[in-house]
């Protein structure tokens, strides 16, 4: 297919980010134009406007929890993204490394053996005074940072990849980045410590978004071509997830319990719940609920429709944000 | 009182931070040793060990939501803080100012009248080329920055106070910080513009923590001496808040709804709910619930005790994290 005919998949860049990896896991590079965006909001805008066929954004990390910027965009307080729906997900194992310039006497770090646990430096880091990373990474590497770099200044930047890029520019050896091993290659940095995250099974979940009126699998182009073939044949309809937001009358005791009972009544298992400031009034919240199940026009899966009908009677307002196939193995 | 005899109040530093302001609002400087800590965890450690009599930490911002580091310390997955209880709260209006070095011909900025809305510079800022602040502040001051400083370079630093410190070192007048008014005093900077945040009602809530076995008001030293006198006399017992964490069996549909029903049964109004990764198993969560009410040994306030008994029967595990007087006016 020529570049002009290939659908665009927008993702949170830059190149070399974990979102980039998630995007390549879900979309064949040869069938799509994979297009990096500066912010998560830019991905939403590209999909809402129809410029991009799909968007890929980080949603949740197993150690650090939700990505609040993404939640706020789904909450859509200003009505800018009325047509955005989630249509897929992708999981990527996050292995942060400490990248920088090792003192010249040190052996090149890539020759070092595999990660040790608990992580410790594999090069001299006594000169490191400034750290750069995405804000979420600090919380994922607490033990290592508290042990070895407690007094280093922490600088938040827009991505772990950007952090590596900045550190590459400072040859003094005083700067280091919490970033991915692919960024070490990309910016020619030394690995000063490997897999420094507290939990080695640290995983980030990414969501694939589409416009409500865009084509959906199995018509034309599948959303996750690398795995849809197998899932289509086994006909496993029940392994789906659904995302819903709602608001409640917070003056009413039990309002939240009533809303959640709507899902219980239909036997729907809630897999997560989140809150974000409503933006309308201080100390009021938008609730996010994710559940096992699929909203459909008709058929056995009417449970989600039933629960939404019930929810509509007890909440102040709600929005269905899409149903998609579960990609979490052993879930 | 001599310094040695005064109880220590540990807070998230550095000096000049909004947490510092919250601490000074709640504790008289002359009765306590106000001690800045590097991390929120250091505050927990100081209180748990008994080194500090009280600790003050940020908990939630009205625009940005929960402080996840604080939630994780309350979740206490490694059992390091078994004796920590919340005993008070403090609200601080976040009013970012633009701080820097005004051209020498200008009048000292502290003589200027109150903030104007929409905010505009009260000194010549045409020389400002570089801005420093905590990453959260850029999003809170969009209008002012887009109007007056669209092309200035933005540098993320670890706190608004740190930003002011850096700007104080650059006498060229080309650097400015988005920081607090107390930081202007502390680092001898000019206020170039006042209250530049988009939402003037932007507020952060701080919690005061204590050790379970430490003295509590009204015995010996009140936790919030500046306001306890009035609240003690009006005898308003019902305007209390309680924080609870619990875990559920996530394989069981409706487990969360059952837990929340325990509070509804006793007519307790939930004011917020939060989740954080459980740390034990990926995609499992610890739930945080805050409610209006007070856990007591006996008496009319047995509602919270009743709900906790009920919760204990349906959840996997729970912990009471303290009850304290509500300080939110009009709540």
């Amino acid at each position: 297919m020529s570049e002009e005919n290939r659908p665009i998949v927008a993702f949170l860049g830059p190149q070399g980010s974990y979102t980039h990896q998630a995007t390549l896991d879900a979309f064949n590079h040869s069938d799509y134009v994979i297009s990096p965006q500066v912010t998560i909001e830019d991905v939403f805008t590209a999909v809402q406007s129809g410029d991009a066929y799909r968007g890929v954004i980080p949603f949740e990390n197993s150690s650090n929890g939700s990505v609040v910027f993404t939640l706020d965009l789904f909450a859509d307080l200003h009505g800018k993204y009325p047509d955005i729906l989630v249509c897929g997900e992708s999981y990527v194992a996050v292995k942060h490394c400490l990248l920088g310039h090792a003192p010249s006497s040190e052996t090149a770090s890539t020759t070092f053996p595999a990660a040790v646990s608990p992580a410790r430096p594999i090069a001299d880091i006594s000169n490191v005074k400034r750290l750069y990373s995405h804000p979420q990474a600090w919380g994922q590497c607490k033990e290592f940072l508290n042990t070895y770099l407690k007094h280093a200044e922490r600088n938040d930047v827009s991505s772990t990849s950007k952090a590596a890029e900045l550190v590459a520019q400072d040859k003094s050896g005083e700067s280091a980045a919490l970033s991915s091993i692919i960024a070490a290659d990309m910016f020619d940095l030394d690995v000063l410590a490997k897999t420094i995250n507290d939990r080695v099974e640290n995983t980030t979940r990414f969501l694939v978004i589409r416009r409500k009126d865009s084509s959906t699998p199995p018509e034309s182009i599948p959303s996750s071509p690398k795995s849809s073939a197998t899932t289509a044949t086994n006909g496993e309809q029940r392994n789906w997830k659904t995302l819903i937001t709602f608001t409640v009358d917070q003056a009413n005791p039990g309002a939240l319990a009533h809303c959640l009972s709507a899902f219980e009544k239909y036997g729907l298992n809630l897999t997560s719940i989140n809150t974000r400031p409503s933006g309308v009034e201080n100390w009021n919240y938008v609730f996010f609920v994710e559940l096992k199940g699929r909203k459909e026009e008709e058929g056995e899966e009417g449970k989600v429709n039933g629960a939404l009908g019930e929810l509509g009677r007890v909440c102040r307002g709600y929005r269905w944000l899409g149903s998609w196939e579960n990609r979490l193995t052993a879930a």
Side-chain angles (χ1 to χ4, degrees), chain A residues 1 40 167:
Chain A
M1 238 188 288
I40 299 173
V167 168

Side-chain angles (χ1 to χ4, degrees), chain A residues 9 47 85 89 108 113 131 137 159 187 205 212 218 227 265 293 306 328:
Chain A
V9 178
V47 174
L85 288 179
E89 66 179 16
L131 296 173
S159 71
F187 299 105
R205 179 156 71 121
K212 204 187 287 190
S227 48
K265 186 170 165 184
L328 184 62

Side-chain angles (χ1 to χ4, degrees), chain A residues 249-295:
Chain A
D249 174 8
Q250 288 189 210
N252 173 14
L256 180 58
H258 286 156
C259 289
L260 297 180
S261 297
F263 303 107
E264 185 195 1
K265 186 170 165 184
Y266 286 86
L268 295 166
N269 196 7
L270 301 187
T271 51
S272 83
I273 182 165
N274 275 291
T275 53
R276 289 292 299 153
S278 72
V280 179
E281 198 182 334
N282 278 0
W283 324 118
N284 266 263
Y285 306 90
V286 178
F287 295 90
F288 295 77
V289 152
E290 210 181 323
L291 54 86
K292 287 271 185 75
R294 180 185 191 177
K295 180 178 178 292

Side-chain angles (χ1 to χ4, degrees), chain A residues 1-52:
Chain A
M1 238 188 288
S2 74
E3 171 117 358
E4 299 76 54
N5 296 329
R6 285 185 288 156
I8 293 169
V9 178
F11 71 97
L12 175 66
Q15 310 257 4
S17 65
Y18 293 106
T19 315
H20 191 190
Q21 199 175 319
T23 307
L24 295 177
D25 286 353
F27 296 91
N28 273 314
H29 196 274
S30 55
D31 296 337
Y32 301 90
V33 176
I34 309 289
S35 167
Q37 306 292 315
V38 176
T39 66
I40 299 173
E41 180 149 28
D42 292 340
V43 179
F44 271 70
T45 303
V47 174
Q48 173 65 36
S49 69
D51 290 346

Side-chain angles (χ1 to χ4, degrees), chain A residues 4-284:
Chain A
E4 299 76 54
N5 296 329
R6 285 185 288 156
I8 293 169
V9 178
F11 71 97
L12 175 66
Q15 310 257 4
S17 65
Y18 293 106
T19 315
H20 191 190
Q21 199 175 319
T23 307
L24 295 177
D25 286 353
F27 296 91
N28 273 314
H29 196 274
S30 55
D31 296 337
Y32 301 90
V33 176
I34 309 289
S35 167
Q37 306 292 315
V38 176
T39 66
I40 299 173
E41 180 149 28
D42 292 340
V43 179
F44 271 70
T45 303
V47 174
Q48 173 65 36
S49 69
D51 290 346
Y53 164 74
R54 292 290 186 264
V56 182
I57 44 162
F59 186 61
E60 180 181 22
N61 174 270
S62 60
S63 303
N64 235 13
S66 302
V67 179
V68 295
F69 302 105
T70 301
L71 290 180
D72 287 344
L73 289 162
F74 279 125
D76 193 25
L77 300 172
H78 303 105
K80 287 160 77 178
Y81 309 109
D83 301 312
I84 296 288
L85 288 179
V86 180
C87 62
E89 66 179 16
S90 176
Y91 290 83
V92 171
V94 173
K95 290 179 182 170
H96 293 307
C97 299
L98 185 73
L99 308 183
H101 301 280
S104 50
S105 60
E106 306 256 344
T107 316
S109 58
T110 43
T111 64
F112 271 82
V116 287
S117 180
R120 52 184 171 73
I122 54 177
D124 178 7
I125 61 166
S126 56
N127 288 335
V128 173
K129 293 191 173 64
R130 288 178 297 278
L131 296 173
Y132 293 84
S133 199
H134 186 274
Q136 290 228 337
W138 312 122
Q140 293 168 4
C141 306
K142 272 185 231 168
E143 261 180 60
F144 181 86
L145 294 177
N146 280 339
T147 309
Y148 298 106
L149 292 161
K150 189 162 178 176
H151 298 286
E153 180 192 302
R154 297 180 185 184
N155 296 282
D156 292 335
V157 293
S158 53
S159 71
T160 54
S161 182
K162 179 77 187 172
E165 191 186 334
L166 286 171
V167 168
Q169 290 160 16
D170 175 10
K171 310 286 185 198
S172 70
E174 294 185 352
S175 297
L178 277 57
S179 191
S180 67
I181 194 101
I182 37 172
D185 276 350
M186 192 169 293
F187 299 105
D188 197 23
L189 287 168
D190 298 317
V191 179
L192 308 177
K194 274 185 183 166
T195 316
I196 60 173
N197 19 297
D198 302 332
R199 288 169 61 86
V200 288
E201 67 273 42
N202 188 356
T203 301
T204 298
R205 179 156 71 121
F206 298 85
L207 294 181
V208 181
I209 55 173
R210 67 172 177 97
R211 249 187 89 94
K212 204 187 287 190
D213 53 8
S214 75
S215 59
T216 55
E219 321 139 31
S220 69
I221 305 157
S223 71
S224 300
K226 289 195 174 174
S227 48
S228 62
T230 39
T231 41
T233 46
N234 72 20
E236 178 63 74
Q237 293 268 345
R238 282 155 59 200
N239 203 4
W240 285 66
K241 290 177 183 168
T242 290
L243 183 65
I244 292 155
T245 57
F246 62 89
T247 53
V248 304
D249 174 8
Q250 288 189 210
N252 173 14
L256 180 58
H258 286 156
C259 289
L260 297 180
S261 297
F263 303 107
E264 185 195 1
K265 186 170 165 184
Y266 286 86
L268 295 166
N269 196 7
L270 301 187
T271 51
S272 83
I273 182 165
N274 275 291
T275 53
R276 289 292 299 153
S278 72
V280 179
E281 198 182 334
N282 278 0
W283 324 118
N284 266 263

